[in-house]
Amino acid sequence: MTGYASVQHSPLPTDGEAPASTGPTARLGLEIRSVNSRFLDLSFRLPEELRQLEPGLRELITRQIKRGKVEVRASQDAGDGAALQAPNHQALQKIASLQEKIQDWLPGARALSVADVLRMTAGSSSQAAPDEAAWMQLAAQAVDALREARAREGARLTEMLQGHITQLRSLADLAVPLVPQLVEQQRQRFLERWKDAMALADGSHLPEAAQDRALTEATAFAIRIDVAEELTRLRSHLDELSRLLTQGGDIGKRLDFLIQELHREANTLGSKSAVLEMTRISVDMKVLIEQMREQVQNIE
């Protein structure tokens, strides 16, 4: 299902007070969006300094989201004051040592300027290890918000699917009286054919044998077009679908299976069709079932 969530955490004061001395000192931002997909496809767009968070974020998300193409984006802004921080002594010593070695080999090389040193040390000062606990807390908030958004869409999908179930029940009810009518019509046709055969008979064939042949053909036709079992199974699948949608929870895979079974029964109705009305019912059923299939594949 589709959904979107965006959460931020900023410890920077908004009322002129000094920032707290504990906890994360950077502005953290996390964005999660998902679109429809039959399986879970999780991707991350993280800056290099946050790559180490990916396993924890992946574990947190996969525990609560089972389907969808999910994209996670994270950002960390140290704020304007980060650029003014003095480089650490170890970094300066290393730069000075490297400069001496290079100038020994290349006496004509110019010395590093203050700006050069600041650029070289800016990366190391901003690459501080992220506060994993703060990030996990932020991710939990984002996942909860995403699940709420997906739940709202799920409620809309459930309403639509229940409407399709009602329509399928109505089509099944229309199909029920067609079979006895067709069997009776065909029986009358066979009897008429038998009477015509008797009228043309020259006495060389026994009437009983001709009548038995007609009744056998009528019985075979009735068996061939009987869809009572298919309609019974179709109603059973619809009942289970409705029950699962009302129950909620992790039902996506079971809904997939039931949709496949519904399609199987609708196909059988069409293959056994002996009248245009039954064919129309089968086609209408398959259209509704296909619409349901597209939506069911998005439901967890």
Side-chain angles (χ1 to χ4, degrees), residues 101-206:
K101 290 181 179 180
I102 292 173
Q103 288 180 333
D104 287 342
W105 284 91
L106 302 172
R110 68 176 181 84
L112 292 172
S113 67
V114 174
D116 293 334
V117 174
L118 288 176
R119 279 196 300 271
M120 295 175 66
T121 57
S124 61
S125 62
S126 62
Q127 297 288 332
D131 187 332
E132 189 167 351
W135 275 108
M136 292 302 105
Q137 182 178 0
L138 197 68
Q141 296 174 11
V143 171
D144 288 343
L146 180 67
R147 286 172 59 85
E148 290 176 4
R150 287 159 63 102
R152 290 191 293 270
E153 183 187 5
R156 292 191 293 269
L157 287 178
T158 297
E159 183 178 358
M160 183 275 291
L161 291 172
Q162 292 285 17
H164 280 32
I165 289 174
T166 300
Q167 295 180 59
L168 287 170
R169 292 187 195 278
S170 299
L171 290 172
D173 291 340
L174 292 176
V176 170
L178 292 179
V179 174
Q181 294 174 10
L182 288 173
V183 172
E184 180 60 25
Q185 291 173 7
Q186 193 66 14
R187 192 179 71 84
Q188 292 298 328
R189 291 195 190 100
F190 284 141
L191 289 176
E192 289 173 3
R193 287 170 57 188
W194 173 71
K195 291 178 181 178
D196 293 340
M198 291 304 97
L200 297 174
D202 56 1
S204 59
H205 295 84
L206 294 176

Side-chain angles (χ1 to χ4, degrees), residues 37 51 56 84 95 97 113 140 157 181 192 197 246 250:
S37 178
R51 284 293 179 186
L84 303 178
I95 291 173
S97 176
S113 67
L157 287 178
Q181 294 174 10
E192 289 173 3
T246 302
D250 187 5

